């Protein structure tokens, strides 16, 4: 069974820092990997979707990379802002199976 | 705009009551999912439906029931058999590609 781990569980940084959030998975035969953002008391919003054949995806200040051989994905946030404060979750999908979610990294960016 | 609507946003349940959470989508997606989220936990799958009139149990289906009579709607009933229903419930569609989530329903037992 696929296991997805996100480290760190929580992170607090000053505004302007570049950040790296990690997502590791145990089965490298993935179909895709998706990063989400969740604000308190809200649903999940999709940030980036990386297909198995891709190495990275970029959207604005966000860059997600995928290394299947090492079972890792990283979400890079450039020049962090207080508005980036949220919980970030990754979800890993194997073939036709339902995606497995990590527990998330809770990020606080303070002014 | 296309999206997923969950209602109500907050729901209170008395002991022994059944309550139903609504999930409606206008994205024309075939697959719909229900998740439960507890503090410090990941998302846990309750039920999912890949086509109208068909649904499958997820990892924690006990004490819950669903129906899928229309493509747009996938209501979740929390029955009295669910002993610890207080949680945040999320409905989602299209998990095969780019996933869409509703804004959630927070259920509290009083």
């Amino acid at each position: 069974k696929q296991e997805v781990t996100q480290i760190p569980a929580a992170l607090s940084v000053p505004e302007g820092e570049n950040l790296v959030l990690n997502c590791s998975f145990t089965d490298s035969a993935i179909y895709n990997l998706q990063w989400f953002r969740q604000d308190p008391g809200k649903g999940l919003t999709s940030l980036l979707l990386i297909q198995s054949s891709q190495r990275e995806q970029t959207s604005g200040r966000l860059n997600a990379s995928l290394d299947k051989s090492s079972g890792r994905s990283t979400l890079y946030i450039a020049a962090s802002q207080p508005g980036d404060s949220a919980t970030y979750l990754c979800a890993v999908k194997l073939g036709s199976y339902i995606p497995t979610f990590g527990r998330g990294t809770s990020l606080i960016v303070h002014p | 705009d296309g999206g997923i609507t969950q209602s109500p946003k907050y729901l209170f349940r008395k002991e022994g009551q059944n309550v139903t959470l609504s999930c409606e989508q206008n994205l024309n997606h075939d697959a719909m999912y229900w998740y439960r989220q507890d503090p410090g936990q990941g998302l846990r799958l309750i039920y999912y439906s890949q086509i109208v009139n068909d649904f499958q149990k997820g990892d924690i289906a006990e004490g819950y029931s669903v129906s899928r009579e229309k493509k747009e709607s996938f209501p979740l009933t929390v029955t009295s058999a669910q002993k610890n229903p207080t949680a945040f419930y999320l409905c989602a569609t299209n998990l095969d590609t780019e996933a869409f989530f509703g804004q959630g329903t927070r259920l509290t037992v009083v």
Side-chain angles (χ1 to χ4, degrees):
Chain A
K1 181 180 177 181
Q2 179 75 280
E3 293 183 6
V4 179
T5 303
Q6 291 189 245
I7 295 173
L11 188 60
S12 180
V13 299
E15 182 176 6
E17 279 203 4
N18 300 325
L19 307 172
V20 175
L21 307 182
N22 296 294
C23 173
S24 61
F25 46 91
T26 53
D27 191 331
S28 61
I30 72 170
Y31 179 75
N32 64 39
L33 184 146
Q34 194 163 176
W35 282 93
F36 296 88
R37 168 185 174 135
Q38 185 177 29
D39 292 291
K42 303 289 187 182
L44 279 66
T45 300
S46 178
L47 296 173
L48 291 164
L49 172 68
I50 308 177
Q51 301 293 347
S52 174
S53 59
Q54 298 174 317
R55 293 295 298 260
E56 64 178 343
Q57 283 283 355
T58 298
S59 177
R61 293 182 295 108
L62 305 180
N63 175 277
S65 66
L66 175 64
D67 184 344
K68 290 188 297 181
S69 62
S70 66
R72 289 188 60 186
S73 176
T74 60
L75 178 66
Y76 177 82
I77 303 176
S80 59
Q81 303 171 356
D84 295 329
S85 299
T87 296
Y88 292 81
L89 297 95
C90 68
V92 181
K93 180 172 168 56
L94 288 175
S96 61
Y97 295 98
I98 307 294
T100 301
F101 286 80
R103 295 189 176 188
T105 293
S106 177
L107 172 66
I108 296 175
V109 181
H110 48 87
Chain B
D1 285 1
I4 301 172
T5 301
Q6 288 189 242
S7 62
K9 186 172 182 178
Y10 299 98
L11 185 58
F12 298 90
R13 192 194 95 166
K14 294 182 180 179
E15 296 283 349
Q17 269 188 341
N18 292 352
V19 291
T20 297
L21 285 61
S22 171
C23 178
E24 302 280 332
Q25 56 110 351
N26 61 3
L27 299 166
N28 200 35
H29 290 158
D30 288 313
M32 298 185 73
Y33 308 80
W34 274 106
Y35 285 92
R36 169 178 172 144
Q37 187 177 36
D38 295 281
Q41 303 272 343
L43 274 66
R44 293 187 288 170
L45 183 65
I46 305 172
Y47 267 98
Y48 64 101
S49 168
Q50 294 182 314
I51 197 169
V52 174
N53 292 322
D54 186 54
F55 49 82
Q56 307 294 329
K57 292 182 179 180
D59 299 322
I60 57 165
E62 185 175 353
Y64 300 97
S65 66
V66 293
S67 63
R68 187 81 187 278
E69 297 177 0
K70 300 186 301 182
K71 188 175 186 178
E72 300 80 16
S73 179
F74 190 39
L76 173 73
T77 296
V78 184
T79 75
S80 57
Q82 171 50 242
K83 297 307 178 187
N84 185 23
T86 295
F88 190 54
Y89 291 85
L90 288 162
C91 178
T93 68
N94 206 44
L95 291 183
D96 280 351
T97 55
E98 183 178 2
F100 291 82
F101 280 81
Q103 290 300 293
T105 293
R106 184 164 300 281
L107 173 63
T108 304
V109 174
V110 296

